[in-house]
Amino acid sequence: MAQRLKVPGLVGELAAEFAGTAILILFGVGVVAQVAAAGTGEFDSIAWAWGLGVTLGVYVAGRISGAHLNPAVTLALAVFKGFSWRKVMPYALAQTAGAFVAALIIRWNYSEVLSRFDPGLTSKSQGVFSTLPGAGVTEWGALRDQIIGTAILLFLVLAVTDARNSLPAGNLAPLIVGLIVVAIGMAFAVNAGYAINPARDFGPRLASFLTGYETAFQDTSGYPYFWVPIVGPLVGGVIGAGLYELIIGRFLPSEDELEPGALATENAPAEGELARV
């Protein structure tokens, strides 16, 4: 029987982050291409496919890397959960690379649909790949929205993956995290498209720019909007994780202080590897 290839720790983790984020984008950007450019499906299809993409990406990468799939998650874990700072930038680059490659695949696969829908490759179809501010929303309003949305994401992700809290049983945490993303999409999509993930936005934005979308880094007014879904989620993620620690985390018992009869937390992830997005 062939022996399994032994991959060095960080290399394997980066490969997992790349693959998990690529799965997320294949389903997320793919569904937007179907709904927006081909008219197949509706907004609920988008919200559910993004959430399922997160769930499936987490199942792909979770055992190896912790399945952050999001630089905002990685940064927040480094700030509050002891995740190694030396891994933050490599993780973010692997996540962005996975999103970039997956977006190229979607761009290729839906090239005919996109060309028919928007022959000039303008902002009309740019939203398939990256986010734009909603009608009447300024860049500062969009920034506020991204901070709030990502803060909610990190607060809830830590709540459902904290080994000291009530962990979902039967390896259902990835499904619950996916449902969190569905809920955020249904409640916080209008202002800025709920990127809540710098890699999710910048990777596909770069892919679209390199394949014909000349205004990919701008909004419809010509403002260089690309920084908003990068800075907003990074700030919001740290805020959300900090609020979780302030309001909930510091009051939870340590694992050896749990009362008899407390909910089981066996097979819990190590500190600093808690988040599964």
Side-chain angles (χ1 to χ4, degrees), residues 8-22 61-78 82-100 197-200 234 270-277:
L10 182 58
V11 174
E13 292 170 30
L14 298 182
E17 288 295 306
F18 175 94
T21 310
R63 187 64 180 268
I64 299 173
S65 69
H68 301 178
L69 313 188
N70 183 340
V73 171
T74 301
L75 177 62
L77 291 181
F83 184 74
S84 173
W85 279 100
R86 72 178 179 84
K87 294 183 179 181
V88 170
M89 185 56 69
Y91 264 51
L93 292 174
Q95 293 152 2
T96 303
F100 172 77
N197 181 339
R200 168 267 174 273
L234 292 175
E271 192 78 3
E273 296 282 350
L274 295 178
R276 300 300 195 194
V277 174

